[in-house]
Amino acid sequence: MLSNGLDILVLGDDTAYGLGLNVKTHRIITVLTAALIASACVSLSGLLSFVGLIIPNLIKLINIGKSKTKILLCLLFGSTFLLLCDMLAHYIFFPYEIPVGLFLSCLGSPFFIFLIIQKRK
């Protein structure tokens, strides 16, 4: 429901306002919705925060046009990535099992450092 407004917000606040979007209200509703969804996901699945860092940034690198498509790709690739990490966490040190959150942290930390280096350039 909010994706069309997000596509307009990319153009800038003045342009979005000129196109008839109530920028302040839309921004507040979007942030509250994202916070509510994120808190519900964390309360159900635990702290798997590096999925939310890695996947959206990889999707952003692909640079597909509409926000709706990016959100759907984040859902699809995020869940697939988490399943693959969970399988690797179960089988990489068989018969022992490491927590998937620890495995994601080992993957996400270097990626986070890579993002910081890329931002500096």
Side-chain angles (χ1 to χ4, degrees):
M1 289 175 25
L2 300 172
S3 67
N4 291 332
L6 288 174
D7 289 334
I8 294 172
L9 273 175
V10 172
L11 301 173
D13 288 354
D14 293 333
T15 306
Y17 183 75
L19 290 172
L21 182 70
N22 189 343
V23 175
K24 186 176 181 181
T25 304
H26 193 274
R27 191 170 279 145
I28 289 171
I29 290 171
T30 302
V31 168
L32 288 176
T33 303
L36 182 66
I37 291 171
S39 63
C41 290
V42 168
S43 69
L44 290 174
S45 64
L47 291 174
L48 301 173
S49 58
F50 279 110
V51 173
L53 173 72
I54 295 171
I55 299 301
N57 281 297
L58 289 176
I59 297 297
K60 192 168 92 174
L61 289 175
I62 296 172
N63 199 13
I64 296 172
K66 294 192 124 197
S67 296
K68 208 177 282 190
T69 307
K70 288 179 185 177
I71 291 169
L72 291 174
L73 284 176
C74 283
L75 287 170
L76 179 67
F77 287 126
S79 59
T80 304
F81 178 70
L82 186 59
L83 285 173
L84 288 173
C85 287
D86 189 41
M87 287 191 321
L88 285 173
H90 282 293
Y91 295 118
I92 201 164
F93 295 114
F94 188 78
Y96 304 105
E97 180 180 330
I98 60 174
V100 70
L102 177 66
F103 189 75
L104 281 170
S105 297
C106 292
L107 292 176
S109 298
F111 187 77
F112 184 64
I113 293 169
F114 168 75
L115 286 177
I116 291 173
I117 292 171
Q118 287 294 102
K119 290 281 184 183
R120 258 194 192 167
K121 293 179 182 178

